[in-house]
Amino acid sequence: MKLKDYPIKAGVSNRHVHLSQKDLEILFGEGYELTAIKDLGQPGQYAAQEKIILVGPKGAIEGVRVLGPVRKATQVEVSRTDAFKLGVKPPIKDSGDHEGSVGLTLVGPKGTVVLEKGVILAKRHIHMTPEDAEKLGVKDKDLVMVYCKGNGERKTIFDDVLVRVSSSYALEFHVDVDEANAAMINNNDEVFVVEEL
């Protein structure tokens, strides 16, 4: 196996919610604004102080972090394990693609939002700049394989990893908690694009 000599930082994504301004105000009150507490790996993105409850047909998950800034449409990203607990069957989707996705109920301190769609399992992906893409020999929307050494005991190759290119991105490989746990990946671990098997 040959790897591209260009290390990429891993980012493990726990369950979280991106809210529209309309839904934010229903959940937290009219005119409400998110309170940033921690910057995330992608420029301009942050973890907010605010948390909500996800309620599905079979169960609920409390303390789900809201990420900012607000978006045009509300999106809920969960792991497959979370989906089992909630009793929903979300599809694997790229962020922002809600076609064919499922819904559930969001509960905040001031109100409730019943989503008809927007709940997804996020497709594993790499954020990168055009300069990164050139050095890796890839382009936006390409699918690549990524090698993860993990702790050395569960070496893993992830297939069907979506490349997302934008000058506003920072180089980072995103997987959800289930995928990270299976491969023994931690935040900031180095991973590599596979050039050939």
Side-chain angles (χ1 to χ4, degrees):
M1 178 175 63
K2 186 178 180 184
L3 306 177
K4 300 206 177 189
D5 186 20
Y6 200 74
I8 299 168
K9 181 178 67 173
V12 180
S13 184
N14 201 354
R15 68 182 79 98
H16 61 271
V17 180
H18 302 276
L19 293 173
S20 67
Q21 184 62 39
K22 176 185 174 184
D23 289 346
L24 174 66
E25 294 190 21
I26 292 170
L27 294 167
F28 290 94
E30 188 175 346
Y32 195 88
E33 294 183 4
L34 292 172
T35 306
I37 57 170
K38 180 185 176 185
D39 288 336
L40 300 178
Q42 295 307 303
Q45 304 292 306
Y46 59 86
Q49 177 178 298
E50 290 73 19
K51 296 179 182 179
I52 63 168
I53 302 168
L54 304 180
V55 181
K58 289 188 176 178
I61 299 176
E62 298 184 9
V64 178
R65 180 79 58 191
V66 178
L67 302 188
V70 293
R71 292 193 176 182
K72 287 188 289 185
T74 293
Q75 177 172 291
V76 179
E77 297 179 38
V78 295
S79 70
R80 194 159 186 242
T81 300
D82 294 333
F84 287 141
K85 180 173 183 179
L86 293 165
V88 294
K89 292 183 178 179
I92 297 170
K93 290 281 189 177
D94 186 16
S95 182
D97 178 7
H98 300 166
E99 190 68 35
S101 63
V102 299
L104 46 63
T105 301
L106 313 180
V107 179
K110 300 286 188 181
T112 299
V113 172
V114 179
L115 286 181
E116 293 188 4
K117 62 181 181 178
V119 183
I120 65 169
L121 305 178
K123 186 172 182 65
R124 48 186 174 250
H125 57 277
I126 307 171
H127 291 279
M128 64 180 72
T129 64
E131 293 76 21
D132 294 321
E134 186 176 347
K135 288 175 182 174
L136 284 163
V138 297
K139 61 185 185 302
D140 191 47
K141 303 298 183 186
D142 277 356
L143 294 174
V144 298
M145 287 189 279
V146 171
Y147 172 77
C148 309
K149 185 177 180 183
N151 67 351
E153 295 177 0
R154 283 193 175 175
K155 297 171 186 173
T156 304
I157 295 175
F158 286 106
D159 202 352
D160 293 321
V161 179
L162 180 68
V163 172
R164 300 181 62 189
V165 180
S166 170
S167 56
S168 65
Y169 289 157
L171 185 62
E172 195 171 34
F173 170 59
H174 281 182
V175 287
D176 70 25
V177 170
D178 283 358
E179 294 171 306
N181 287 342
M184 305 289 278
I185 300 170
N186 296 307
N187 279 320
N188 300 315
D189 282 358
E190 286 187 348
V191 303
F192 297 85
V193 170
V194 177
E195 189 164 343
E196 59 184 51
L197 286 175

